[in-house]
Amino acid sequence: MLFRDVSEFLKEIEETTSRLDMTAKLAELYNKLSPTEAKELSYLLLGKLAPDYYGVELGIGMKLLFEALSMATGWEVEDVEKLYEKMGEVGELSQYLITKKKQSSLASRDLAVKDVYDALFKISSTSGQGSVMTKIKYAAELFNNSSPLEARYIARMLVNKLRAGIGEPTIMDALSWSKTGTKEDRELIERAYNISSDIGEVAKAFLEGKDLSKEFTIEVLRPIRPALAERLNSAEAIFAKLGKCAVEYKYDGFRMQVHKKGDLVSIFSRRLERMEGMFPDLVDSIKEMPYKDIVLEGEALAVNKKEGTFFSFQETMHRRRKYGIDEASEKWPLHLYAFDVMYVDGDALIDRPFKERRKVLESFLPFSNNIKLSHMEIAHNASDIKRVFDDALSKKLEGIMAKNLEAPYKAGKRGFSWIKLKKSYGKSVDTIDGVVVGYYRGSGARAKFGFGGLLVAVYDSERDEFQTIAKVGSGFTEEEMVRLRDMLSEIAIKKPDKRLNTVVEADVWVEPRYVVEVMFDEITKSKQHTAGNIDGQGYALRFPRFLKLRDDRDIYSITTVNEVLEMFAAQSSKK
Ligand code: AMP
């Protein structure tokens, strides 16, 4: 398919305001693309060139974009920059410049989807000497061959600002729609995505008519999307839900998915980015484990050997670094507390009950001095759960995870197979993880930071949309305000994201990308916010304050509306 035709679709998608229309348009587009084009375009729509674990990032800096535009159009770089300052958006800028070229193009040709994808790939992955010039040349060549409308979208892709408001869930719906006109195949598609974490490959196989359930099985060194926990607020509620269950300590470090294939080791973060380079100490131990192939999951925590205690989450986070790794591993030695295993030597274990997977784990762990087993006990009643919970808190851990002994590993799903019970910070204080969807510029003392607070939303997984729950105006240090403003202004968008359902306004809307932990006193009903909205009455946080950025979280694994309703019910029953 020609990129010119794709651009027409992107324009229509840009102009729709309804999610449904957008999905239908995207489905129409998938019907016109070849399977390989569908794969490539799926990544591009998400602002990627490949799944995150490939480690190739799409995008070049603005300066290079201006140079490329200048080279392709004959405009002086300074004039391009000046015009950008006036127009403020690279897509419109590029569209305009291509219309007003000062030189005619040399032998221009039609661009196919593949041409655009390949060029973006080359541009993003070229490095080393002379790479700046190469990037500019390739980008200029793209502009040289593009119509004004194509340039609008190519430019946005080049600087990774497409911001189409399309996430993986929309892509999965659209794929299903493209074949059936309904969401009928969504579950099948989602299962394949959860096992492979590769939306592009799933799109390709689906459009090729392959049987996704056979095509996608666990592959060592390719991450599985992590299972997520629900939350309940008392040991009694957990026991009522699960009956006899496993209760584990909940460690507050960072989640790791470990893959071992012979001597090859990959460690994936919760967002499925590769991070084994940061943990040579763990990698050495993992290599020695007594199976050739292993996929397991655990939480890594830094331990204070002198005092025999755990370091805090903040201290542990010092291990997420690119430099000074050896010193950091001396200062903050990591222990991995393994809590699940999905694969050993040819055996995919994910569909087996948890109690069997745990037995497998116990058969080869603990291993070495840094790969441990998560502490686990079997609870026969609510007071057993409570006892492990108190025990965990006395060890300065954040709570417990109760697990259904019979449940399979539910990749990419939040469910009651795992239920967390967390310590509360005070009498009635709790926290949520929300996604930032907008921010306020700030007045008075805050004006100098250009930052007054955040508009934060939770996720409604059934309706597949973000719903606002709080304006967060306190809890920030001055450095945090500056940092947040800088990060957020980079991802500003003109209109609220299409995945957002909101009635309140923000000064600046942003693409949903950053997850923050917000502390609050209470959940109240409110007409201002859309979280859990039924008949114009949503839920809001009372006295929300910013705790921290959770850059380990992705936007679809934040607190859900169901959890908010659960918290509200628990709070009412306490009263
Ligand atoms: P939360 O992030 O509060 O939703 O809690 C879920 C997270 O707890 C998981 O993603 C893990 O990173 C972490 N975790 C800590 N200990 C355990 C455990 N024993 N079992 C499962 N998850 C755990």
Side-chain angles (χ1 to χ4, degrees):
M1 187 174 185
L2 289 181
F3 195 75
R4 189 183 310 130
D5 301 327
V6 172
S7 303
E8 292 294 340
F9 271 98
L10 291 176
K11 180 162 172 270
E12 287 177 40
I13 288 173
E14 192 179 340
E15 282 162 3
T16 58
T17 46
S18 117
R19 265 289 290 281
L20 214 61
D21 293 347
M22 182 165 84
T23 310
K25 268 277 146 231
L26 194 54
E28 211 183 311
L29 175 58
Y30 275 126
N31 267 332
K32 299 207 154 93
L33 293 165
S34 75
T36 302
E37 288 170 342
K39 167 178 155 177
E40 294 171 346
L41 200 71
S42 300
Y43 298 136
L44 293 178
L45 290 174
L46 295 168
K48 298 174 191 202
L49 287 161
D52 291 335
Y53 57 90
Y54 276 59
V56 276
E57 269 174 43
L58 173 65
I60 54 170
M62 298 290 267
K63 191 119 194 43
L64 297 199
L65 175 79
F66 296 149
E67 297 266 0
L69 280 168
S70 159
M71 194 183 272
T73 61
W75 281 62
E76 295 295 330
V77 178
E78 298 80 66
D79 295 335
V80 174
E81 277 180 58
K82 268 191 214 134
L83 197 60
Y84 172 69
E85 264 158 42
K86 229 163 73 201
M87 297 175 90
E89 201 275 309
V90 294
E92 278 163 33
L93 168 81
S94 310
Q95 188 169 4
Y96 178 83
L97 287 173
I98 298 296
T99 325
K100 305 271 176 207
K101 270 188 192 176
K102 294 190 174 172
Q103 66 195 24
S104 58
S105 328
L106 309 161
S108 91
R109 62 188 176 90
D110 287 342
L111 290 170
V113 173
K114 182 177 171 16
D115 298 322
V116 176
Y117 178 83
D118 287 351
L120 288 171
F121 201 99
K122 272 193 226 144
I123 290 166
S124 302
S125 55
T126 308
S127 61
Q129 222 187 5
S131 62
V132 169
M133 208 47 221
T134 314
K135 284 173 199 268
I136 295 172
K137 255 175 46 198
Y138 279 131
E141 207 177 303
L142 277 177
F143 286 125
N144 191 36
N145 290 323
S146 56
S147 68
L149 191 64
E150 285 175 281
R152 178 184 183 91
Y153 297 107
I154 287 175
R156 288 182 186 166
M157 287 173 180
L158 269 168
V159 292
N160 205 352
K161 290 190 175 170
L162 182 62
R163 316 257 154 89
I166 293 172
E168 286 86 349
T170 312
I171 290 189
M172 292 191 279
D173 278 347
L175 282 169
S176 170
W177 268 73
S178 73
K179 261 199 194 160
T180 62
T182 65
K183 288 190 181 179
E184 199 181 312
D185 282 346
R186 160 81 190 250
E187 213 178 296
L188 193 75
I189 295 167
E190 193 165 337
R191 192 202 146 273
Y193 174 52
N194 285 337
I195 289 282
S196 67
S197 315
D198 189 336
I199 198 80
E201 284 297 340
V202 172
K204 178 168 177 275
F206 182 72
L207 294 176
E208 281 168 345
K210 296 220 167 108
D211 178 352
L212 296 189
S213 60
K214 293 220 176 74
E215 197 69 15
F216 292 91
T217 50
I218 294 187
E219 236 176 60
V220 187
L221 302 183
R222 182 178 72 183
I224 302 165
R225 298 194 65 239
L228 301 170
E230 281 285 354
R231 110 153 66 190
L232 288 174
N233 279 319
S234 69
E236 289 73 22
I238 292 178
F239 193 75
K241 191 95 193 168
L242 294 181
K244 180 181 163 190
C245 58
V247 184
E248 300 184 18
Y249 287 168
K250 185 172 190 302
Y251 303 90
D252 192 17
F254 37 89
R255 186 168 182 161
M256 283 185 176
Q257 197 180 104
V258 170
H259 289 236
K260 170 188 188 296
K261 192 178 178 75
D263 263 356
L264 295 176
V265 173
S266 289
I267 301 179
F268 299 102
S269 71
R270 177 166 164 154
R271 295 179 59 171
L272 304 185
E273 288 154 341
R274 289 178 61 163
M275 53 177 190
E276 62 273 7
M278 299 177 195
F279 311 111
D281 42 346
L282 286 178
V283 170
D284 286 345
S285 306
I286 292 164
K287 271 188 197 160
E288 300 301 321
M289 287 198 297
Y291 286 103
K292 184 171 158 285
D293 294 346
I294 301 179
V295 178
L296 63 76
E297 222 172 24
E299 189 88 355
L301 213 60
V303 284
N304 186 336
K305 286 199 168 149
K306 248 195 238 147
E307 308 200 351
T309 54
F310 297 113
F311 277 120
S312 67
F313 175 77
Q314 277 76 6
E315 292 276 325
T316 296
M317 286 313 266
H318 288 297
R319 286 299 307 271
R320 288 188 73 137
R321 57 167 65 212
K322 291 200 174 126
Y323 307 101
I325 289 170
D326 289 342
E327 299 92 88
S329 42
E330 281 282 308
K331 199 163 166 198
W332 296 285
L334 275 189
H335 284 179
L336 176 65
Y337 288 86
F339 54 71
D340 218 315
V341 58
M342 295 85 125
Y343 190 90
V344 283
D345 282 357
D347 260 338
L349 304 170
I350 51 169
D351 291 326
R352 303 251 284 273
F354 172 66
K355 60 184 184 203
E356 287 180 26
R357 300 199 305 279
R358 176 77 192 187
K359 272 213 186 98
V360 175
L361 256 194
E362 286 172 356
S363 73
F364 66 98
L365 296 184
F367 186 80
S368 190
N369 59 358
N370 51 4
I371 309 202
K372 317 260 180 189
L373 267 169
S374 61
H375 177 90
M376 192 271 265
E377 295 179 42
I378 300 290
H380 297 273
N381 48 48
S383 50
D384 284 348
I385 300 179
K386 181 78 173 54
R387 186 174 35 74
V388 186
F389 179 70
D390 291 339
D391 183 26
L393 294 203
S394 75
K395 299 206 160 59
K396 295 215 165 75
L397 295 167
E398 62 167 352
I400 51 150
M401 274 286 193
K403 296 184 177 176
N404 181 340
L405 289 161
E406 308 300 330
Y409 184 89
K410 294 199 172 142
K413 295 244 185 248
R414 195 182 287 283
F416 285 99
S417 307
W418 291 7
I419 306 177
K420 61 193 169 192
L421 177 63
K422 290 218 250 187
K423 84 170 170 220
S424 45
Y425 287 81
K427 225 167 77 223
S428 59
V429 184
D430 212 331
T431 70
I432 58 141
D433 292 326
V435 63
V436 180
V437 292
Y439 69 98
Y440 299 92
R441 287 214 182 82
S443 52
R446 296 269 177 95
K448 66 173 185 279
F449 303 112
F451 180 85
L454 304 170
L455 180 61
V456 172
V458 288
Y459 184 52
D460 182 332
S461 49
E462 269 129 55
R463 289 161 77 167
D464 192 9
E465 63 181 25
F466 299 107
Q467 301 171 348
T468 72
I469 190 160
K471 285 182 182 175
V472 184
S474 66
F476 309 99
T477 63
E478 292 190 354
E479 292 80 50
E480 281 166 344
M481 288 197 257
V482 173
R483 183 164 170 232
L484 284 165
R485 179 207 59 208
D486 288 349
M487 287 164 54
L488 294 171
S489 59
E490 270 294 304
I491 54 165
I493 45 183
K494 282 195 181 147
K495 289 182 283 187
D497 188 276
K498 293 199 184 82
R499 289 162 285 182
L500 176 64
N501 177 349
T502 183
V503 289
V504 281
E505 293 286 326
D507 289 345
V508 184
W509 297 109
V510 299
E511 181 193 350
R513 184 185 301 177
Y514 295 113
V515 177
V516 290
E517 189 173 356
V518 178
M519 193 189 250
F520 59 93
D521 282 5
E522 207 182 351
I523 293 172
T524 54
K525 289 201 170 153
S526 155
K527 289 205 163 64
Q528 276 231 347
H529 291 288
T530 47
N533 185 336
I534 306 160
D535 305 330
Q537 181 87 294
Y539 292 86
L541 306 181
R542 200 165 125 86
F543 297 132
R545 50 244 187 236
F546 174 80
L547 260 187
K548 55 182 180 264
L549 256 175
R550 299 286 326 223
D551 39 20
D552 54 329
R553 303 271 148 122
D554 79 77
I555 58 171
Y556 295 108
S557 49
I558 58 174
T559 301
T560 59
V561 168
N562 282 344
E563 285 182 88
V564 172
L565 296 178
E566 175 63 38
M567 288 155 118
F568 183 75
Q571 161 195 305
S572 310
S573 69
K574 256 190 218 163
K575 276 185 186 162

